[in-house]
Amino acid sequence: MSEVVLPEGWCLASIADIAEVKGGKRLPKGEKFSNVKTAYPYLRVTDFESGSVNSVNLKYISGSTFEKIRNYTIGKDDLYISIAGTIGLVGNIPLSLDGANLTENAAKLCNIVGIDNNYLVKLLGSNESKQQFSDKEVSSGQPKLALFRIKECQIPLAPLAEQKKIAAQLDTLLAQVDKIKTRLDAIPAILKRFRQSVLAAAVSGKFTEAWRSQVDTQDVSESEGWNWGSIPSSWDVVYYPEVVESRLGKMLDKSKNSGISTQYLGNVNVRWFEFDIENLQEILVSEKEQQELSIKKGDVLICEGGEPGRCAIWNKESQDPIVFQKALHRARVSERLIPDWLVINLKNDADRLTLNQLFTGTTIKHLTGKALKRYPLRLPPKEEQTEIVRCVDQLFTFADQIEAQVSNAQSRVNNLTQSILAKAFRGELTADWRAEHPELISGEHSAEALLARIKAEQAKLSAKKTPRTRRKPSA
């Protein structure tokens, strides 16, 4: 443990001073756990969560398996600690799982003496403790924490009354942090619904109701199949091939391709509204293919597979040609259509799942060129398209700003938990309490006196477990 100045009345102790450390047990050869509920739950590291046990995916063993490993159970008064996989997860055992069997990838702290369990759980969940566990890992393939290494870890031991005070303060403060985190975590879903409602308003003409001089609406035959409702009378309905020149890209086949090494876009590079071009790959193409398959500013690239319909507008000027693979449609719009309007419609129909009616395939979905020919578009006058896109961009920018603020807030809140724990186990949260209660942290109530009593109690427990040597009968 790093050098720290302990508050008055505190001292350092090792985990071996205050508890026994015992490992779990691997299931005997040929034995398995299952989802079938029995009287014998089997706890795995994946069940450990938030200082307790998540029983959603709990596994169970049979009675006969339990009999073979019955000495490797964990009780409600014990603490678990993961020693393989994710190392250093610590928590309590719910009463309902008292006596459950414990995986070999975990250990238990049992016969805990002289320390408040709630204090100990939070202490061992602090970064200071986790760093000790990490420093003591051994690795032979999978990192693991040996039991004797756990015993060596040192902890700041506060007087018992102060332990309870710290644990109670942490319960209150960390509950408030969790409440803030819950509220922050809900915001991305709210923003997602907001963006979807923006797109729905955009393609229905609601954004430009006041902007248009004509307010009449019309019903069109496509409305029923695509859940459009009425559309403005000044809008047309066209099909994709009427306003888009579209084609698929180059087949990726290294054994057959030859020519000039050229960067290409695949569907993995296409995100909604943007591209990820950090690690563009190259493919050999002929000079003719390079001309035919080059991407230019204003092209819309639409995923044929993966997430069919996902698309973005290429807005880059590039001196070096970039082509696109067969898993993408390159859409070049006519004078009647702006690229942004096409992308807005595709995203709206993808969100509303109406685009799914064009997909082929059962397990792996595709949006073929043949299917795109059946894709109808509501088409406002070009000037109105531009106004709607401006409104969408403005609202999306607003949502992006909020999302960035939320992300920053989440990072700060995530750090806040450890900051509070660090203050707690430096004694900063209880500084005023100590000043008001000197009698509870000194003399026989000090941590040093407590540690002496703990060691005496642990020695008694150890003596009870040591078998007495039987004297040989005299001759």
Side-chain angles (χ1 to χ4, degrees):
M1 188 171 184
S2 60
E3 290 296 324
V4 293
V5 178
L6 293 174
E8 181 185 355
W10 292 34
C11 69
L12 282 178
S14 69
I15 289 180
D17 290 330
I18 54 95
E20 286 189 79
V21 183
K22 295 184 176 181
K25 181 70 173 176
R26 182 189 298 271
L27 290 179
K29 189 174 181 179
E31 305 284 353
K32 295 181 179 180
F33 51 72
S34 74
N35 295 319
V36 179
K37 189 171 183 178
T38 69
Y40 310 102
Y42 183 76
L43 303 185
R44 302 160 300 152
V45 171
T46 51
D47 300 318
F48 300 160
E49 184 180 274
S50 303
S52 187
V53 176
N54 186 335
S55 59
V56 172
N57 295 308
L58 208 59
K59 303 299 180 184
Y60 299 87
I61 56 176
S62 66
S64 59
T65 303
F66 172 77
E67 288 300 323
K68 297 175 183 177
I69 56 173
R70 64 179 306 136
N71 293 328
Y72 297 88
T73 59
I74 186 166
K76 59 181 176 59
D77 296 323
D78 304 332
L79 301 182
Y80 65 74
I81 176 169
S82 58
I83 61 174
T86 304
I87 289 177
L89 297 175
V90 179
N92 292 291
I93 297 298
L95 181 60
S96 61
L97 295 176
D98 185 20
N101 286 92
L102 193 63
T103 172
E104 77 276 11
N105 291 327
K108 66 177 179 180
L109 306 185
C110 58
N111 296 324
I112 299 169
V113 176
I115 190 164
D116 182 83
N117 268 27
N118 198 7
Y119 173 92
L120 185 56
V121 167
K122 291 179 172 61
L123 172 58
L124 296 181
S126 68
N127 278 345
E128 186 73 27
S129 295
K130 289 180 179 179
Q131 187 59 53
Q132 287 194 75
F133 296 144
S134 179
D135 291 344
K136 296 178 183 298
E137 288 177 13
V138 294
S139 180
S140 56
Q142 184 187 44
K144 194 157 187 176
L145 184 61
L147 301 189
F148 77 92
R149 294 294 191 188
I150 298 174
K151 297 177 184 179
E152 294 172 351
C153 290
Q154 291 188 309
I155 60 172
L157 185 67
L160 190 57
E162 191 170 358
Q163 291 178 32
K164 296 180 184 297
K165 181 67 177 176
I166 289 171
Q169 286 182 321
L170 287 175
D171 282 342
T172 300
L173 291 172
L174 297 182
Q176 293 172 350
V177 172
D178 286 342
K179 189 178 293 185
I180 294 170
K181 287 175 68 174
T182 299
R183 289 175 178 173
L184 288 173
D185 291 345
I187 294 176
I190 295 171
L191 290 175
K192 181 179 179 180
R193 293 195 297 271
F194 170 76
R195 291 188 178 99
Q196 290 174 345
S197 67
V198 166
L199 294 176
V203 297
S204 66
K206 284 185 169 57
F207 282 158
T208 44
E209 283 178 336
W211 184 88
R212 287 192 307 273
S213 57
Q214 186 179 4
V215 295
D216 295 339
T217 60
Q218 59 177 320
D219 293 323
V220 294
S221 59
E222 290 80 7
S223 291
E224 185 176 350
W226 289 84
N227 296 328
W228 284 354
S230 299
I231 67 172
S233 297
S234 57
W235 290 20
D236 291 331
V237 176
V238 297
Y239 281 82
Y240 181 85
E242 297 178 60
V243 287
V244 177
E245 177 194 322
S246 185
R247 68 160 294 169
L248 285 171
K250 172 74 174 176
M251 175 73 76
L252 300 182
D253 189 340
K254 291 183 179 180
S255 63
K256 295 180 180 178
N257 294 333
S258 61
I260 309 163
S261 183
T262 307
Q263 287 187 322
Y264 72 88
L265 286 177
N267 59 2
V268 296
N269 303 114
V270 181
R271 304 285 181 263
W272 280 113
F273 306 111
E274 62 184 6
F275 294 91
D276 177 4
I277 56 172
E278 284 294 314
N279 298 295
L280 287 182
Q281 302 296 310
E282 294 190 354
I283 189 175
L284 297 176
V285 296
S286 67
E287 189 172 343
K288 181 182 178 183
E289 286 174 325
Q290 195 179 75
Q291 293 173 351
E292 291 178 351
L293 299 175
S294 286
I295 302 166
K296 67 179 184 180
K297 189 174 181 179
D299 285 345
V300 178
L301 281 303
I302 306 170
C303 290
E304 189 271 347
E307 183 185 351
R310 189 177 67 226
C311 58
I313 304 166
W314 186 257
N315 281 321
K316 302 181 184 299
E317 297 282 6
S318 178
Q319 294 181 345
D320 298 322
I322 296 178
V323 297
F324 59 106
Q325 71 166 112
K326 194 174 181 180
L328 292 174
H329 300 277
R330 183 190 63 194
R332 285 183 175 164
V333 301
S334 73
E335 289 295 321
R336 298 178 64 192
L337 178 65
I338 63 174
D340 310 75
W341 184 249
L342 175 60
V343 172
I344 285 173
N345 276 268
L346 283 165
K347 177 58 173 167
N348 176 70
D349 290 330
D351 287 345
R352 292 164 61 86
L353 305 181
T354 52
L355 193 65
N356 291 12
Q357 63 190 286
L358 297 181
F359 297 166
T360 61
T362 51
T363 54
I364 301 176
K365 305 294 183 183
H366 294 275
L367 178 60
T368 65
K370 184 178 179 181
L372 274 173
K373 290 179 180 179
R374 306 196 311 273
Y375 182 44
L377 293 163
R378 288 163 281 189
L379 191 67
K382 197 169 182 181
E383 187 179 2
E384 190 171 353
Q385 293 177 43
T386 302
E387 175 62 17
I388 294 172
V389 168
R390 184 193 67 79
C391 293
V392 171
D393 285 346
Q394 187 178 54
L395 291 169
F396 272 29
T397 298
F398 174 66
D400 290 344
Q401 291 170 347
I402 294 175
E403 198 162 53
Q405 291 171 354
V406 169
S407 179
N408 289 334
Q410 286 174 319
S411 296
R412 291 196 296 272
V413 170
N414 288 337
N415 292 332
L416 183 58
T417 295
Q418 286 299 332
S419 176
I420 291 171
L421 290 175
K423 286 179 179 292
F425 299 115
R426 290 196 298 262
E428 294 178 22
L429 296 184
T430 45
D432 291 341
W433 181 90
R434 281 197 306 279
E436 294 169 1
H437 300 88
E439 75 283 1
L440 296 179
I441 62 171
S442 58
E444 64 176 349
H445 297 297
S446 70
E448 287 187 353
L450 174 63
L451 183 57
R453 291 195 298 273
I454 290 172
K455 288 182 176 180
E457 185 65 28
Q458 291 289 13
K460 287 180 184 178
L461 289 172
S462 180
K464 287 180 181 179
K465 294 175 185 178
T466 303
R468 297 177 64 184
T469 304
R470 186 178 296 175
R471 290 184 178 180
K472 293 182 179 180
S474 56

